[in-house]
């Protein structure tokens, strides 16, 4: 059964390492977008992954589709419609300077047409899981309408929903909106949520202010389970930044019956952290969809996220065997 990932596919433009945007004329172009990142990672794990998105009917749109397809993603649900390609510019951080994202996606083919592009009752046939994130509703009224329609159709069809909070304040601030109300409707349909106490505080309109971060997460998860009966699992990563290149990553999953932890994993010499959260979501979702124990799914997701930090671009390019090898004690040995 298919895992369908719904959201806007983008092109990412990045200056050379150690340079600011437009410091020199060269920019590297790579495909990306939160939900496509998840689909590519799932496909690399061997899962039957598909994407539903709207791309411009031009060379950029077709090339973006081909990039996802070459990794094994089913792109038969991609719509090509008039408009422009959504873009974002990433200035990589270094030393004490954080990375910075500049979005250029207003008026994209996705933003213009997504509300009317899909017949969800048809699109969800043969789908076991629908994955989407808070990025899609942040794109504008059409994205919000489409995301809510997709989740409601999934509920009606008995399709399980995986939702990544992915709050994007810059995007929400560009139009008249009510993010808490929209995100609450999406969370209400979720079986699996990638979110932390900040996400739940925003959506529920209440503070989780324990001085203990672990207790804040537990309190937020309890409130989420009380609010949304369908929700079964809440997951998030925990990151300690010593510098842009030196970080420590761990993860937690809270269920209605208990709590699981993975890590910490020390990440020294980080190459590219963008897409790490999507690799984590894909790894956990892969394990949950395959019926693994929750602790195993969480550990796999964290290992996938850690590996993603070693390669440039949004996509996580490692298969299940490579992730499992990274989880072993001898994972750093040269493979001959």
């Amino acid at each position: 059964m298919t895992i369908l990932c719904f959201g806007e596919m983008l092109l990412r433009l990045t200056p050379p390492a150690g340079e600011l945007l437009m410091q020199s004329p060269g920019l590297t172009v790579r495909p990306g977008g939160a939900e496509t990142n998840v689909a590519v990672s799932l496909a690399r794990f061997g899962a039957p992954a598909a994407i539903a998105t709207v791309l411009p009917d031009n060379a950029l749109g077709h090339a973006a589709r081909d990039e996802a397809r070459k990794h094994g993603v089913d792109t038969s649900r991609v719509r090509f419609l008039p408009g422009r390609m959504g873009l974002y510019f990433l200035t990589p951080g270094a030393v004490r300077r954080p990375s910075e994202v500049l979005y250029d996606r207003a008026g994209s083919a996705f933003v213009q047409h997504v509300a009317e592009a899909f017949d969800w009752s048809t699109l969800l046939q043969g789908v076991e899981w629908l994955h989407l994130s808070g990025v899609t509703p942040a794109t504008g009224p059409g994205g919000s309408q489409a995301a809510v329609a997709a989740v409601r159709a999934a509920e009606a069809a008995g399709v399980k929903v995986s939702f990544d909070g992915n709050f994007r304040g810059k995007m929400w601030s560009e139009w008249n909106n009510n993010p808490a109300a929209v995100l609450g409707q999406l969370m209400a349909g979720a079986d699996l949520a990638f979110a932390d106490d900040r996400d739940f505080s925003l959506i529920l309109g209440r503070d989780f202010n324990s001085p203990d971060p672990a207790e804040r997460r537990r309190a937020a998860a309890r409130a989420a389970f009380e609010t949304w009966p369908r929700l079964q699992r809440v997951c998030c990563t925990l990151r300690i930044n010593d510098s842009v290149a030196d970080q420590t990553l761990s993860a937690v999953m809270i269920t209605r019956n208990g709590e699981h932890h993975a890590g910490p994993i020390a990440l020294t010499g980080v190459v590219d952290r963008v897409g790490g959260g999507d690799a984590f979501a894909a790894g956990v979702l892969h394990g949950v969809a395959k019926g693994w124990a929750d602790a195993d799914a969480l550990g796999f997701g964290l290992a996938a996220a850690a590996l993603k930090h070693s390669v440039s671009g949004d996509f996580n390019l490692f298969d299940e065997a490579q992730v499992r090898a990274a989880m072993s004690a001898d994972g750093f040995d040269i493979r001959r």
Side-chain angles (χ1 to χ4, degrees):
M1 294 286 281
T2 298
I3 302 174
L4 177 63
C5 301
F6 166 53
E8 184 172 21
M9 190 173 186
L10 304 167
L11 292 181
R12 162 179 145 179
L13 292 87
T14 311
E19 293 191 12
L20 302 178
L21 188 63
M22 302 304 294
Q23 184 175 336
S24 63
L27 292 172
T28 299
V29 182
R30 301 180 187 273
E35 297 81 9
T36 303
N37 297 344
V38 172
V40 167
S41 194
L42 286 166
R44 302 285 298 193
F45 297 153
I51 55 172
T53 192
V54 180
L55 290 170
D57 194 8
N58 59 31
L60 290 178
H62 287 266
R65 183 273 313 273
D66 293 346
E67 283 295 310
R69 186 162 59 183
K70 81 177 186 182
H71 293 290
V73 176
D74 176 357
T75 59
S76 62
R77 296 171 176 83
V78 174
R79 295 289 312 278
F80 290 101
L81 294 169
R84 59 178 291 260
M85 188 78 205
L87 309 174
Y88 84 95
F89 297 82
L90 173 70
T91 303
V95 193
R96 304 298 298 177
R97 173 174 56 80
S99 299
E100 186 171 355
V101 168
L102 173 65
Y103 292 111
D104 180 21
R105 54 204 298 177
S108 70
F110 183 92
V111 170
Q112 289 187 61
H113 303 292
V114 66
E116 304 85 24
F118 301 111
D119 175 0
W120 287 105
S121 61
T122 301
L123 211 66
L124 291 171
Q125 291 178 8
V127 171
E128 181 179 7
W129 281 89
L130 170 69
H131 176 80
L132 74 166
S133 84
V135 177
T136 296
T139 60
S144 290
Q145 179 182 333
V148 172
V151 168
R152 288 178 176 169
E155 289 183 273
V159 173
K160 289 170 280 194
V161 173
S162 165
F163 177 63
D164 190 337
N166 262 348
F167 182 71
R168 295 292 186 266
K170 287 183 179 180
M171 294 172 61
W172 282 106
S173 68
E174 292 178 358
W175 59 286
N176 186 21
N177 59 78
N178 185 348
V182 176
L183 296 174
Q185 292 181 73
L186 302 180
M187 195 68 74
D191 300 82
L192 169 63
F194 297 93
D196 60 18
D197 53 286
R198 294 168 299 178
D199 295 297
F200 292 126
S201 179
L202 169 72
I203 298 171
L204 296 174
R206 54 182 289 190
D207 292 328
F208 303 99
N209 50 18
S210 170
D212 180 358
E215 183 50 41
R216 288 200 300 270
R217 291 189 293 272
R218 293 186 190 106
R222 286 194 297 268
F225 291 138
E226 291 169 1
T227 304
W228 300 298
R230 179 165 170 162
L231 185 61
Q232 300 300 315
R233 298 175 177 89
V234 172
C235 306
C236 69
T237 55
L238 316 169
R239 185 185 299 271
I240 298 173
N241 296 296
D242 294 317
S243 72
V244 170
D246 299 295
Q247 305 176 12
T248 303
L249 201 64
S250 57
V252 60
M253 176 191 291
I254 302 175
T255 71
R256 290 181 177 270
N257 300 315
E259 186 173 320
H260 305 280
H261 295 265
I265 298 176
L267 305 174
T268 302
V270 169
V271 174
D272 190 342
R273 65 172 279 185
V274 177
D278 302 322
F280 172 69
V284 173
L285 178 55
H286 179 58
V288 170
K290 293 190 75 170
W292 298 352
D294 287 339
D296 294 337
L298 183 69
F300 184 86
L302 181 63
L307 272 182
K308 166 61 198 70
H309 286 66
S310 72
V311 64
S312 295
D314 279 28
F315 290 170
N316 183 39
L317 302 176
F318 302 97
D319 61 27
E320 183 176 320
Q322 290 170 314
V323 175
R324 291 201 175 279
M327 298 169 71
S328 68
D330 60 349
F332 299 128
D333 285 350
I334 297 176
R335 292 173 176 77
R336 303 182 188 276

